[in-house]
Amino acid sequence: MTSVKEAHRPRPLLAGASRRWVRLLPRVTAAVLCVVLLPGTSVVLTTAYGLGGGVASALAAAQTVPLLIAVVHPLRAWYAVLAADVAGALVLLTADFPQRLLWPFPPTVTVGFVALCLALGLRERRRTLLLVWLATAVTNVTLLFFSPHDAGSRDLLLTGLSGVALLLAGALRERAEAQRRLVEQETVSETERARRTLLEERARIARELHDVVAHHMSVITVQADTAPYRLERLPPDAREEFTSIASTARASLGEMRRLLGVLRDEDARGERVPQPGPDRIGRLVEATARAHGPVEFLPLDGDAEIPEAVGLSAYRIVQEALANVVRHAPGAPTRVSLSVTGPDAPDGESGAELTVLVVNGPPPEPPAVPLEPSGTGHGLVGMRERVRLLGGGLDAGPLPDGGFRVAARLPLNAKDHT
């Protein structure tokens, strides 16, 4: 409720200005006008117009003090000042003052009213400003019918000056509003331009992935599938190896197509096919063991329910960790284990975590030539991002014996931490 009230609370005049002295200008101006006009009006009404000191002081206060609230509520201040000015004009009818003096609005009253019109022009819309000026003009003309002296054009001074002030301040406000909207439009255009550039880059990446990677993966699949028919007398182990290669290549092509769909579709909200989870890690380990070497796998014990997002992250972390072993330490003994640790919280909300551990030892002697002597580090960055989104933790780094360890903790009650 407090935030709603603050959102609808009127802001001071020029509160949105970038310079501090501009933001302070309305308050300083209102204070100066009040300090100058309050005693000035009282003196003028007493010495020039012949009013008593008490009446003059009361009128002066009623005609100038509302200027202080004009910084935030100029329209309310205008109502109060106009009523005080009309009351002052009627009081002056009881006084005997020379014809040369202005009536119904003395000079000090005119100054305060014009300043108030400037504040109105900076805040209100055209229709309100027009109604304010018409009310001022009608009031001025109506009072002239009761003039104690011959009325002249100079007695309409307040009507003319207030109209000029309203027009000038309104024009300045509309110009500032137009500039603000222009800046907003330029910002929107820049954002749209950046978004269009991003979509074009995504489309370009998708085309390159399709033309290069997908093509090569298709060739690998075809070659692996047809190898048993093209090559005579293949031993059973080799036939099984080619079958595994073809299966892995087809799975990679499927994931590649889903990735291309995400890149090409800006409104993509996720995959529409079942995503891999902990139940698929065993097959991933088997495929890696056939191509890489000894890989030990310790699956989950029991019937723990793993949320889909947690299971997918666990699969991707193991996939990336095993890929790093194949690339950087081929032939090194590796162990992959999954376990659920941590008790349930008393309130019923599970505080358990899925622990994913991938540890490889040093490469065998003599060491095989690594596929990538130096990595980019993008794999570890991707792991950390997946773990961060689930509110877990990741510990990855080299071991003293030359191996490498990746340990991820994924809360089973994981929530999106983006």
Short mmCIF file of all heavy atoms in Angstrom, two decimals, residues 48-49 89 92-104 143-155:
data_model
loop_
_atom_site.label_atom_id
_atom_site.label_comp_id
_atom_site.label_asym_id
_atom_site.label_seq_id
_atom_site.Cartn_x
_atom_site.Cartn_y
_atom_site.Cartn_z
N ALA A 48 -0.25 52.75 0.53
CA ALA A 48 -0.77 53.28 -0.72
C ALA A 48 -2.29 53.20 -0.79
O ALA A 48 -2.95 54.13 -1.27
CB ALA A 48 -0.17 52.51 -1.90
N TYR A 49 -2.85 52.09 -0.29
CA TYR A 49 -4.29 51.91 -0.43
C TYR A 49 -5.07 52.27 0.83
O TYR A 49 -6.30 52.29 0.81
CB TYR A 49 -4.59 50.45 -0.83
CG TYR A 49 -4.22 50.15 -2.26
CD1 TYR A 49 -2.91 49.80 -2.58
CD2 TYR A 49 -5.16 50.22 -3.28
CE1 TYR A 49 -2.56 49.51 -3.90
CE2 TYR A 49 -4.82 49.93 -4.58
CZ TYR A 49 -3.52 49.57 -4.90
OH TYR A 49 -3.18 49.31 -6.20
N ALA A 89 -9.65 42.46 -3.37
CA ALA A 89 -10.25 43.49 -4.24
C ALA A 89 -11.54 44.02 -3.63
O ALA A 89 -11.82 45.24 -3.67
CB ALA A 89 -10.52 42.89 -5.61
N LEU A 92 -10.74 46.33 -0.77
CA LEU A 92 -10.25 47.64 -1.23
C LEU A 92 -11.38 48.58 -1.64
O LEU A 92 -11.19 49.80 -1.70
CB LEU A 92 -9.28 47.44 -2.41
CG LEU A 92 -7.90 46.86 -2.08
CD1 LEU A 92 -7.08 46.68 -3.36
CD2 LEU A 92 -7.15 47.77 -1.11
N LEU A 93 -12.58 48.03 -1.93
CA LEU A 93 -13.72 48.89 -2.25
C LEU A 93 -14.12 49.76 -1.07
O LEU A 93 -14.75 50.82 -1.24
CB LEU A 93 -14.91 48.03 -2.71
CG LEU A 93 -14.77 47.33 -4.08
CD1 LEU A 93 -15.98 46.47 -4.34
CD2 LEU A 93 -14.59 48.37 -5.19
N THR A 94 -13.76 49.33 0.15
CA THR A 94 -14.11 50.10 1.34
C THR A 94 -13.08 51.16 1.66
O THR A 94 -13.28 51.96 2.57
CB THR A 94 -14.23 49.15 2.55
OG1 THR A 94 -12.95 48.53 2.81
CG2 THR A 94 -15.27 48.06 2.28
N ALA A 95 -11.95 51.13 0.92
CA ALA A 95 -10.86 52.09 1.18
C ALA A 95 -10.93 53.23 0.17
O ALA A 95 -11.47 53.09 -0.93
CB ALA A 95 -9.51 51.39 1.11
N ASP A 96 -10.32 54.33 0.55
CA ASP A 96 -10.27 55.50 -0.33
C ASP A 96 -8.84 55.62 -0.86
O ASP A 96 -7.93 56.04 -0.14
CB ASP A 96 -10.68 56.76 0.44
CG ASP A 96 -10.75 57.98 -0.49
OD1 ASP A 96 -10.78 57.77 -1.72
OD2 ASP A 96 -10.76 59.10 0.04
N PHE A 97 -8.62 55.21 -2.10
CA PHE A 97 -7.28 55.25 -2.69
C PHE A 97 -7.33 56.00 -4.01
O PHE A 97 -8.38 56.08 -4.67
CB PHE A 97 -6.72 53.83 -2.89
CG PHE A 97 -7.59 52.95 -3.76
CD1 PHE A 97 -7.41 52.90 -5.13
CD2 PHE A 97 -8.61 52.18 -3.20
CE1 PHE A 97 -8.20 52.09 -5.92
CE2 PHE A 97 -9.39 51.37 -3.98
CZ PHE A 97 -9.20 51.31 -5.34
N PRO A 98 -6.23 56.60 -4.42
CA PRO A 98 -6.20 57.40 -5.65
C PRO A 98 -6.54 56.58 -6.89
O PRO A 98 -6.29 55.37 -6.95
CB PRO A 98 -4.76 57.92 -5.72
CG PRO A 98 -4.25 57.81 -4.32
CD PRO A 98 -4.94 56.62 -3.73
N GLN A 99 -7.07 57.19 -7.90
CA GLN A 99 -7.47 56.51 -9.13
C GLN A 99 -6.27 55.97 -9.90
O GLN A 99 -6.39 55.01 -10.64
CB GLN A 99 -8.27 57.49 -10.02
CG GLN A 99 -8.81 56.83 -11.29
CD GLN A 99 -9.68 57.78 -12.10
OE1 GLN A 99 -9.93 58.92 -11.66
NE2 GLN A 99 -10.13 57.35 -13.27
N ARG A 100 -5.11 56.57 -9.69
CA ARG A 100 -3.93 56.13 -10.43
C ARG A 100 -3.46 54.74 -10.00
O ARG A 100 -2.69 54.10 -10.72
CB ARG A 100 -2.79 57.13 -10.21
CG ARG A 100 -2.40 57.30 -8.75
CD ARG A 100 -1.31 58.33 -8.57
NE ARG A 100 -0.98 58.56 -7.17
CZ ARG A 100 -0.19 57.78 -6.45
NH1 ARG A 100 0.37 56.72 -7.01
NH2 ARG A 100 0.04 58.07 -5.17
N LEU A 101 -3.86 54.27 -8.87
CA LEU A 101 -3.45 52.95 -8.39
C LEU A 101 -4.25 51.85 -9.07
O LEU A 101 -5.42 52.03 -9.42
CB LEU A 101 -3.62 52.85 -6.87
CG LEU A 101 -2.77 53.82 -6.04
CD1 LEU A 101 -3.08 53.64 -4.56
CD2 LEU A 101 -1.29 53.59 -6.31
N LEU A 102 -3.60 50.71 -9.26
CA LEU A 102 -4.25 49.58 -9.92
C LEU A 102 -5.33 48.98 -9.02
O LEU A 102 -5.16 48.85 -7.81
CB LEU A 102 -3.20 48.50 -10.25
CG LEU A 102 -2.21 48.80 -11.38
CD1 LEU A 102 -1.20 47.68 -11.51
CD2 LEU A 102 -2.94 49.01 -12.70
N TRP A 103 -6.41 48.60 -9.66
CA TRP A 103 -7.47 47.87 -8.99
C TRP A 103 -8.13 46.99 -10.05
O TRP A 103 -8.28 47.44 -11.21
CB TRP A 103 -8.51 48.83 -8.40
CG TRP A 103 -9.53 48.10 -7.53
CD1 TRP A 103 -9.44 47.85 -6.21
CD2 TRP A 103 -10.76 47.52 -7.97
NE1 TRP A 103 -10.53 47.14 -5.77
CE2 TRP A 103 -11.37 46.91 -6.85
CE3 TRP A 103 -11.42 47.41 -9.20
CZ2 TRP A 103 -12.59 46.26 -6.90
CZ3 TRP A 103 -12.63 46.75 -9.26
CH2 TRP A 103 -13.21 46.18 -8.11
N PRO A 104 -8.50 45.76 -9.79
CA PRO A 104 -8.68 45.14 -8.47
C PRO A 104 -7.43 44.45 -7.92
O PRO A 104 -7.47 43.97 -6.79
CB PRO A 104 -9.78 44.11 -8.75
CG PRO A 104 -9.60 43.73 -10.18
CD PRO A 104 -9.10 44.95 -10.88
N LEU A 143 -15.05 41.86 -11.81
CA LEU A 143 -14.72 42.83 -10.76
C LEU A 143 -14.70 44.26 -11.30
O LEU A 143 -15.00 45.21 -10.55
CB LEU A 143 -13.36 42.48 -10.15
CG LEU A 143 -13.34 41.25 -9.23
CD1 LEU A 143 -11.91 40.93 -8.81
CD2 LEU A 143 -14.20 41.48 -7.98
N LEU A 144 -14.37 44.42 -12.58
CA LEU A 144 -14.30 45.78 -13.14
C LEU A 144 -15.67 46.45 -13.17
O LEU A 144 -15.77 47.68 -13.20
CB LEU A 144 -13.71 45.74 -14.55
CG LEU A 144 -12.21 45.40 -14.63
CD1 LEU A 144 -11.73 45.43 -16.07
CD2 LEU A 144 -11.39 46.38 -13.79
N PHE A 145 -16.76 45.66 -13.13
CA PHE A 145 -18.09 46.27 -13.09
C PHE A 145 -18.34 46.98 -11.77
O PHE A 145 -19.25 47.82 -11.67
CB PHE A 145 -19.17 45.20 -13.31
CG PHE A 145 -19.30 44.75 -14.74
CD1 PHE A 145 -18.80 43.52 -15.14
CD2 PHE A 145 -19.89 45.57 -15.70
CE1 PHE A 145 -18.91 43.09 -16.46
CE2 PHE A 145 -20.01 45.17 -17.02
CZ PHE A 145 -19.52 43.92 -17.40
N PHE A 146 -17.53 46.63 -10.74
CA PHE A 146 -17.69 47.25 -9.42
C PHE A 146 -16.56 48.23 -9.14
O PHE A 146 -16.35 48.61 -7.98
CB PHE A 146 -17.71 46.17 -8.34
CG PHE A 146 -18.79 45.14 -8.54
CD1 PHE A 146 -18.51 43.94 -9.21
CD2 PHE A 146 -20.08 45.36 -8.09
CE1 PHE A 146 -19.49 42.99 -9.40
CE2 PHE A 146 -21.06 44.41 -8.27
CZ PHE A 146 -20.78 43.22 -8.93
N SER A 147 -15.84 48.65 -10.16
CA SER A 147 -14.68 49.52 -9.97
C SER A 147 -15.10 50.86 -9.36
O SER A 147 -16.08 51.48 -9.81
CB SER A 147 -13.98 49.76 -11.31
OG SER A 147 -12.91 50.67 -11.14
N PRO A 148 -14.37 51.32 -8.32
CA PRO A 148 -14.71 52.61 -7.72
C PRO A 148 -14.32 53.79 -8.61
O PRO A 148 -14.75 54.93 -8.36
CB PRO A 148 -13.91 52.60 -6.42
CG PRO A 148 -12.75 51.71 -6.69
CD PRO A 148 -13.26 50.66 -7.63
N HIS A 149 -13.51 53.52 -9.61
CA HIS A 149 -13.07 54.57 -10.55
C HIS A 149 -13.37 54.10 -11.96
O HIS A 149 -13.85 52.99 -12.19
CB HIS A 149 -11.58 54.86 -10.37
CG HIS A 149 -11.20 55.15 -8.95
ND1 HIS A 149 -11.60 56.28 -8.26
CD2 HIS A 149 -10.42 54.44 -8.07
CE1 HIS A 149 -11.11 56.28 -7.04
NE2 HIS A 149 -10.39 55.16 -6.89
N ASP A 150 -13.08 54.94 -12.90
CA ASP A 150 -13.27 54.56 -14.30
C ASP A 150 -12.31 53.43 -14.66
O ASP A 150 -11.09 53.54 -14.46
CB ASP A 150 -13.02 55.76 -15.22
CG ASP A 150 -14.06 56.86 -15.01
OD1 ASP A 150 -15.18 56.51 -14.58
OD2 ASP A 150 -13.74 58.04 -15.27
N ALA A 151 -12.87 52.32 -15.17
CA ALA A 151 -12.04 51.17 -15.52
C ALA A 151 -11.33 51.43 -16.84
O ALA A 151 -11.88 52.04 -17.76
CB ALA A 151 -12.89 49.91 -15.62
N GLY A 152 -10.10 50.94 -16.92
CA GLY A 152 -9.31 51.08 -18.14
C GLY A 152 -8.61 49.78 -18.49
O GLY A 152 -8.69 48.77 -17.77
N SER A 153 -7.89 49.82 -19.60
CA SER A 153 -7.21 48.61 -20.06
C SER A 153 -6.13 48.16 -19.08
O SER A 153 -5.83 46.98 -18.98
CB SER A 153 -6.60 48.84 -21.44
OG SER A 153 -5.69 49.95 -21.40
N ARG A 154 -5.54 49.11 -18.34
CA ARG A 154 -4.47 48.74 -17.41
C ARG A 154 -5.01 47.87 -16.26
O ARG A 154 -4.25 47.13 -15.64
CB ARG A 154 -3.80 49.98 -16.85
CG ARG A 154 -4.68 50.80 -15.93
CD ARG A 154 -4.07 52.16 -15.65
NE ARG A 154 -4.86 52.88 -14.64
CZ ARG A 154 -4.50 53.03 -13.38
NH1 ARG A 154 -3.36 52.50 -12.96
NH2 ARG A 154 -5.26 53.69 -12.54
N ASP A 155 -6.32 47.95 -16.01
CA ASP A 155 -6.90 47.12 -14.96
C ASP A 155 -7.03 45.65 -15.40
O ASP A 155 -7.36 44.80 -14.58
CB ASP A 155 -8.27 47.66 -14.56
CG ASP A 155 -8.17 49.03 -13.90
OD1 ASP A 155 -7.19 49.23 -13.15
OD2 ASP A 155 -9.03 49.88 -14.14
#
